[in-house]
Amino acid sequence: QVRLVESGGGLVQAGGSLRLSCAASGRTFTTYVTGWFRQAPGKAREFVAAIVTRTGNGTYYADSVKGRFTISRDNGENTVYLQMNDLKPEDTAVYSCAATTSRSGWGVNSLRRYDYWGQGTQVTVSS
């Protein structure tokens, strides 16, 4: 089992920045990719970014956040970060991290790829 705990959410003005953290515990050596997803009120959960956490340094982003968000990892701390800059009101959502032990199958932008999920952290961007 892998346990994921997010932190770093909050209220920020448009144009501001936040850094979210996803701390993993348990059988972290089995995870292959860690991703961030978000869900705004009344909307479906959507992919934000993902990073390969076991080998290599592959990163993936949704078009809506490219150039503004950066995903990174600290394997020594078993933590994945999401640096969010130039935040917009439409970025307001609950952000959740997820991890998968699968090396293949569904794409990293698919909810179905992921085996473990955190509880989420609220990000609110005011205009």
Side-chain angles (χ1 to χ4, degrees):
Q1 293 291 324
V2 176
R3 182 169 180 258
L4 303 172
V5 179
E6 303 95 336
S7 61
L11 173 65
V12 65
Q13 288 188 328
S17 299
L18 283 174
R19 188 177 81 156
L20 305 183
S21 299
C22 174
S25 60
R27 295 172 61 87
T28 58
F29 61 89
T30 64
T31 62
Y32 186 69
V33 177
T34 299
W36 284 96
F37 288 78
R38 66 186 182 186
Q39 187 167 21
K43 296 188 177 181
R45 185 174 289 184
E46 65 175 6
F47 170 75
V48 176
I51 187 167
V52 176
T53 46
R54 194 187 301 179
T55 61
N57 273 309
T59 57
Y60 309 84
Y61 296 95
D63 288 343
S64 59
V65 306
K66 277 181 184 176
R68 300 188 299 123
F69 291 11
T70 303
I71 190 169
S72 61
R73 65 180 185 182
D74 182 337
N75 283 355
E77 295 293 329
N78 291 320
T79 301
V80 169
Y81 302 98
L82 184 69
Q83 177 67 44
M84 306 186 296
N85 297 329
D86 190 23
L87 283 161
K88 304 176 181 181
E90 51 264 41
D91 293 319
T92 295
V94 174
Y95 285 70
S96 300
C97 65
T100 177
T101 59
S102 300
R103 295 177 66 93
S104 62
W106 294 96
V108 298
N109 61 346
S110 172
L111 298 171
R112 299 184 183 188
R113 178 73 179 268
Y114 295 88
D115 310 303
Y116 305 101
W117 290 84
Q119 295 282 51
T121 185
Q122 176 71 46
V123 171
T124 303
V125 185
S126 63
S127 57

